[in-house]
Amino acid sequence: MHTPIRLLAAIVATASLSAACASGSASPATQTTPEAPAMAATSVDAQAPADPVRDLLASSDRLFEDGRHQLSLGHLAQAKSAFNASLELILASPEVTRSDARVREHLDRLVDRIAALELTALATGDGFTEQAAEPASIDQLLAISTFDTSPPTAATTENVEADLRETTHDLPIPLNERVLRYVELFQGRLREFLAEGLARGAQYLPMIQSVFRAEGLPLDLAYVPLIESAFKPTALSRAKARGVWQFMRGTGIENGLQQDWYIDERSDPAKATVAAARYFKTLYRMFDDWHLAMASYNGGPGRMQRAIKASRRTDFWSLTATSRYLPRETREYVPMILAAVIIAKNPAKYGFDVPPPGAPAIETVEVPSAVDLRRVAEWASVPVEEIQRLNPELRRWTTPIRGDSYPLTVPWGTAETIRAELGAASPKTLNALQWHVVKRGETLTTIARKLRVNRTDLAEANYLRATSRVTIGQKLLIPRMPSAALLARAAAGAPVQAEETDAVAAAFESTVTETVVHRVRRGDTLFALARKYQTTVAQLKALNRLSSNTLRIGARLVVATPRTANAQQQ
């Protein structure tokens, strides 16, 4: 077999996918079996005559699409297998077929598309893309124009009055118009919002009520997240409050919630609930009134104390009868929550059908530090988004680099498989991390500038402050973010066009730590050089403006790789 064919057949086994899914697993990745091309038609259609080339290309495209789908799930090894199969199907076809212009064009385009996806894997292989947040419902509710709510109907008033007589509440709930207006609103314009929140909250309420019961708190407070976040662990407000309980950063830290570059326990429903119980107890000790405590949970205890001092009023309803002392959001917060509590305690009475929660189908497995969640997702045969959803406190695609292990929540029935894969995997295959060893005269600022990373990210990724000093020989983890343009191209499945070569090369150059020059020797191939320098064929071609895979003996190639300097320093 000629060298170019060997090169094309192996192109997708280069640095980016290999670094993220090297052969350290207990069992090999699921292999995709190439579909045999339909070289002879079983029946003849007068309108669509047999075309073995067309069938061959269609089969190759199906394998490519399977690879792209696996990549979208975070299943890197299975993606590589499918990409290889899509190429091998073409390369294994008869030479007369490969000589067809359509096949040559398809092969060139296929290599370009796989190269673009390969670059994407390299760009995102560090595992540092931050998990996306969702808008917090409290912003939408407190900013909505429905503060001018309609007066409650007689039917609503009678229904709530009867409900309050029959249902036990451990928060005082007055039967006043301000509360009734929100009951009316939640049954009308905001019905869908409340229904979704009630359904989502069903999985968390048993845990929250258990914590509050143990702390001696009113169980009705368990419904506060219905308004704060609609029970979304990744909810983020405009004021940067986060999680089911919408803790601000400082308040979260004061109540024991860890927050750093890798983890934010405000998004951990269980840990944030313990912190919320602690905070509510503190607020009640300050005000000795649950309505005032709830209002201060929204507006802050300092503001509430100033309002009480200025008004000389210690009753929430009297204090908020005027707009002089508290902002509208805080004045509306308490009646809104009380209305939500009324409905949540007896949803059927108000026309809501809330299905009972099933037992959570999850288990926990201890994983080492710095494990790429995409590896775990592939072992568990689920999308990486599912692992992220089960571990919303993890801000990145990796477990923290500090510590011996991390308790990771995984789908039920997958822990044993994950433990087996972890036991068989080489530590170097669990994440594609990049490191920099500090040299004489370097600071965080100069390193960040040289490596084109944000100084604050560089510091926080290494548990340092932006003003911290570094010492010679200190090893720093280099946080890198993917190229948005490159991700968009790869997601669309479009080939990298000639005019995009410079942009692709620039995207790669922004991740390098060192550039070297290689003089081509007899027997060198692009694939062999890519493997030697831990880069990609596409990058070698882009950086050296090569239009083909042919190398000239004695030629000088520029080689840029994120691991060159690291490998030389080891």
Side-chain angles (χ1 to χ4, degrees), residues 141-159:
L141 290 176
L142 295 180
I144 204 167
S145 60
T146 49
F147 284 123
D148 297 326
T149 53
S150 302
T153 63
T156 295
T157 301
E158 293 174 5
N159 200 27

Side-chain angles (χ1 to χ4, degrees), residues 442-451 453 455 458 466 468 470:
E442 288 186 327
T443 66
L444 284 177
T445 300
T446 61
I447 294 170
R449 186 181 302 121
K450 174 184 177 182
L451 301 181
V453 296
R455 185 181 68 172
L458 176 62
S468 295
V470 292

Side-chain angles (χ1 to χ4, degrees), residues 110-334:
L110 185 62
V111 170
D112 281 342
R113 297 171 81 188
I114 292 174
L117 291 170
E118 187 178 46
L119 289 172
T120 301
L122 178 65
T124 61
D126 48 36
F128 290 143
T129 303
E130 185 165 9
Q131 185 172 178
E134 300 176 83
S137 59
I138 189 67
D139 286 336
Q140 299 166 328
L141 290 176
L142 295 180
I144 204 167
S145 60
T146 49
F147 284 123
D148 297 326
T149 53
S150 302
T153 63
T156 295
T157 301
E158 293 174 5
N159 200 27
V160 173
E161 186 174 9
D163 187 12
L164 292 178
R165 287 196 304 266
E166 300 166 0
T167 305
T168 301
H169 291 276
D170 48 16
L171 281 177
I173 301 182
L175 187 67
N176 62 35
E177 184 172 310
R178 293 172 64 185
V179 174
L180 291 171
R181 280 176 178 263
Y182 280 106
V183 174
E184 190 77 51
L185 183 63
F186 288 141
Q187 293 180 100
R189 293 175 59 187
L190 294 183
R191 168 175 287 276
E192 184 177 353
F193 159 79
L194 196 68
E196 290 178 357
L198 287 169
R200 191 180 299 109
Q203 63 182 308
Y204 300 113
L205 282 170
M207 176 272 294
I208 296 173
Q209 291 170 339
S210 177
V211 171
F212 280 23
R213 186 179 294 109
E215 294 293 333
L217 290 169
L219 299 188
D220 287 351
L221 290 174
Y223 298 102
V224 167
L226 192 55
I227 300 302
E228 287 282 358
S229 64
F231 288 101
K232 295 178 181 178
T234 57
L236 181 67
S237 75
R238 287 192 291 267
K240 304 305 179 184
R242 185 182 289 272
V244 166
W245 289 97
Q246 285 293 282
F247 273 107
M248 296 293 291
R249 177 176 175 80
T251 309
I253 292 174
E254 290 172 1
N255 289 278
L257 295 177
Q258 179 184 344
Q259 298 163 61
D260 57 39
W261 204 75
Y262 300 92
I263 193 168
D264 191 335
E265 291 182 342
R266 293 179 295 171
S267 292
D268 184 319
K271 292 181 178 179
T273 294
V274 173
R278 179 185 302 178
Y279 190 39
F280 270 122
K281 291 177 76 171
T282 298
L283 295 175
Y284 186 73
R285 283 194 297 267
M286 293 176 65
F287 299 105
D288 195 30
D289 180 275
W290 280 117
H291 294 157
L292 294 176
M294 292 163 63
S296 61
Y297 188 91
N298 170 260
R303 172 176 283 173
M304 182 60 63
Q305 289 172 326
R306 291 190 296 272
I308 291 173
K309 183 177 180 179
S311 66
R312 298 182 180 179
R313 302 173 185 176
T314 57
D315 174 71
F316 171 82
W317 306 101
S318 174
L319 177 63
T320 57
T322 173
S323 61
R324 291 178 56 189
Y325 306 111
L326 291 171
R328 183 180 66 176
E329 290 81 358
T330 303
R331 298 197 308 270
E332 300 295 335
Y333 182 78
V334 173

Side-chain angles (χ1 to χ4, degrees), residues 435-437 439 450 512-516 561-570:
W435 300 87
H436 175 82
V437 179
K439 303 179 181 66
K450 174 184 177 182
V512 303
T513 56
E514 188 169 327
T515 301
V516 298
T561 168
R563 295 176 181 83
T564 298
N566 184 34
Q568 293 177 352
Q569 292 164 350
Q570 296 296 320

Side-chain angles (χ1 to χ4, degrees), residues 73-145:
L73 299 177
H75 299 171
L76 303 180
Q78 293 179 35
K80 183 178 72 171
S81 176
F83 289 150
N84 273 329
S86 70
L87 281 168
E88 290 167 358
L89 186 64
I90 301 296
L91 297 171
S93 62
E95 189 166 347
V96 64
T97 302
R98 294 200 306 274
S99 65
D100 189 292
R102 290 174 294 170
V103 175
R104 293 199 303 270
E105 180 183 354
H106 173 87
L107 187 58
D108 288 342
R109 184 169 182 265
L110 185 62
V111 170
D112 281 342
R113 297 171 81 188
I114 292 174
L117 291 170
E118 187 178 46
L119 289 172
T120 301
L122 178 65
T124 61
D126 48 36
F128 290 143
T129 303
E130 185 165 9
Q131 185 172 178
E134 300 176 83
S137 59
I138 189 67
D139 286 336
Q140 299 166 328
L141 290 176
L142 295 180
I144 204 167
S145 60

